[in-house]
Amino acid sequence: VKTVINELGATIDARRQAIRAGTDSPGAVVENAGAIISTEGRALQLRSFGATVINTGDLIGGEEVVEARGGFYLENRGTIRLIDPSIEDEDAVQFAGGEVQNHGSIIGSDDGIDLDEGLIVNHVGGEIISSAPDANDNGGIDIDEVYDDGVSPERTPTAVTIINDGTIEGPKAINTDVAAISVLNLTNRGILRGRGGTAIDLAPDMDDSVVTISGASEIYGDILFGGGDDTVNIAGITSGLLSTGLFDGGLGVDTVTFLFALSDFDTFGVVGDQVDLSFLSHGDVISGSFVNFENWTVAGQNFTAASLSAAINSVAAVPLPASLPLMFLGFGGLGLLRRRR
């Protein structure tokens, strides 16, 4: 294993690639607590399979800042960014497959992170951002259509799993290439901000994907699914916000699952294929709009939109027992008698 350690206060700089590992250096490791800077090229060009980067300092590039291939691992507690924010169309981190654990800042002018398959965990305080113009087709995270590690034959990617407790932001928070056909599994307890109006945009042929929303989740923009049998799971939300946009299930047989009771719903209206609903969560009334979802599950019970609307209205319409007001009146009378005595 070839290892480079750049200690706190130290700087490695170059005009082109500051550190490069070729395919003949599998398992290369870079540990950076200082600054690694390229004025015109990449801070890290890691074309070796199984490369590892532990960054607590600054990785700064004049183009794509970190390029990696398959079996990649990145733990970032520092900053990964372009040397000049005006540089266009450059990713902060690009890799074929692997894992990112982000506690720091990753900012690109094309995508924040561009990957084919793997795991991204964005922790509390972490940010993954595309600074591209809001009208562009870029994402804080972008998912590609082909797995290409530069060594193995190209193939269809497997799944991308994203766990977000921080901020993911861009023209779209999460974007997919138009020909992508993999699976997205997303758990969001942080902020997804699509500055161009779309928070999540899945390609038409994306397979069965799952989005789970809970806790401090805040979603700004539409959530657009592809052609798979997709699922949205909604649990207790503490932020007061479900989404500022529309949940569109797209094609396939799609499901919304609520991990709370029928009695928590405030409204549930069905007009054509659209459902507008609101529910009570942690003291807030939270609303959302859904289209192209065929199945609805509440507390483990399955419904169509029409049958769920009827069930919610039935719960809301349950009258008090006829004897209950008389009982309360009787208690009130006893109180008056006591006071008179």
Side-chain angles (χ1 to χ4, degrees):
V1 176
K2 297 175 174 62
T3 301
V4 175
I5 299 175
N6 192 44
E7 296 183 345
L8 182 66
T11 299
I12 298 173
D13 59 29
R15 183 176 68 85
R16 296 297 297 162
Q17 319 322 331
I19 294 178
R20 184 180 187 280
T23 56
D24 57 347
S25 300
V29 177
V30 177
E31 298 181 11
N32 177 55
I36 300 176
I37 304 169
S38 170
T39 54
E40 298 179 15
R42 294 166 172 80
L44 304 178
Q45 185 181 62
L46 306 176
R47 294 183 173 175
S48 62
F49 194 90
T52 294
V53 175
I54 308 297
N55 180 53
T56 56
D58 296 313
L59 298 174
I60 301 171
E63 54 180 359
E64 197 170 67
V65 184
V66 177
E67 176 199 355
R69 298 294 176 91
F72 177 60
Y73 179 81
L74 167 64
E75 182 178 316
N76 179 53
R77 297 176 184 273
T79 300
I80 302 174
R81 64 174 177 84
L82 294 167
I83 194 167
D84 182 350
S86 68
I87 297 172
E88 299 179 353
D89 300 325
E90 297 293 350
D91 301 328
V93 176
Q94 186 278 331
F95 65 99
E99 178 178 339
V100 173
Q101 296 283 338
N102 182 53
H103 303 259
S105 179
I106 298 174
I107 305 174
S109 61
D110 187 359
D111 305 310
I113 296 177
D114 182 290
L115 79 160
D116 303 341
E117 65 184 33
L119 169 66
I120 297 174
V121 182
N122 192 38
H123 295 268
V124 173
E127 58 177 9
I128 302 171
I129 296 175
S130 167
S131 62
D134 294 355
N136 281 21
D137 195 31
N138 302 100
I141 296 174
D142 183 81
I143 301 169
D144 291 336
E145 73 273 21
V146 175
Y147 176 85
D148 180 10
D149 63 12
V151 178
S152 312
E154 293 185 1
R155 58 170 174 79
T156 300
T158 56
V160 172
T161 298
I162 300 171
I163 301 171
N164 180 47
D165 289 291
T167 297
I168 302 173
E169 176 184 322
K172 300 172 184 177
I174 299 172
N175 185 46
T176 57
D177 291 357
V178 69
I181 57 175
S182 56
V183 171
L184 172 66
N185 295 308
L186 166 68
T187 298
N188 188 59
R189 297 180 295 254
I191 296 171
L192 298 177
R193 181 176 287 111
R195 300 191 307 267
T198 300
I200 303 172
D201 189 4
L202 302 189
D205 292 327
M206 288 281 284
D207 212 341
D208 306 348
S209 295
V210 179
V211 172
T212 300
I213 302 166
S214 66
S217 171
E218 299 178 34
I219 301 178
Y220 298 90
D222 295 334
I223 297 90
L224 309 178
F225 287 92
D229 297 338
D230 304 306
T231 302
V232 177
N233 298 315
I234 301 173
I237 296 174
T238 60
S239 65
L241 177 66
L242 182 58
S243 172
T244 62
L246 175 73
F247 290 81
D248 187 342
L251 301 177
V253 179
D254 306 304
T255 302
V256 182
T257 298
F258 298 96
L259 304 177
F260 46 78
L262 284 171
S263 57
D264 290 316
F265 282 91
D266 186 51
T267 61
F268 194 93
V270 183
V271 178
D273 196 31
Q274 181 163 326
V275 170
D276 297 308
L277 58 83
S278 62
F279 56 90
L280 187 67
S281 181
H282 292 268
D284 293 314
V285 176
I286 298 173
S287 60
S289 295
F290 298 77
V291 67
N292 295 321
F293 285 89
E294 290 74 25
N295 300 321
W296 301 78
T297 301
V298 179
Q301 188 173 357
N302 298 323
F303 300 88
T304 64
S307 65
L308 179 53
S309 179
I312 290 168
N313 290 331
S314 176
V315 170
V318 173
L320 292 173
S323 61
L324 202 56
L326 295 175
M327 183 174 69
F328 287 142
L329 182 59
F331 287 153
L334 288 172
L336 287 171
L337 286 172
R338 290 192 187 98
R339 283 194 291 274
R340 283 174 185 161
R341 290 174 183 170

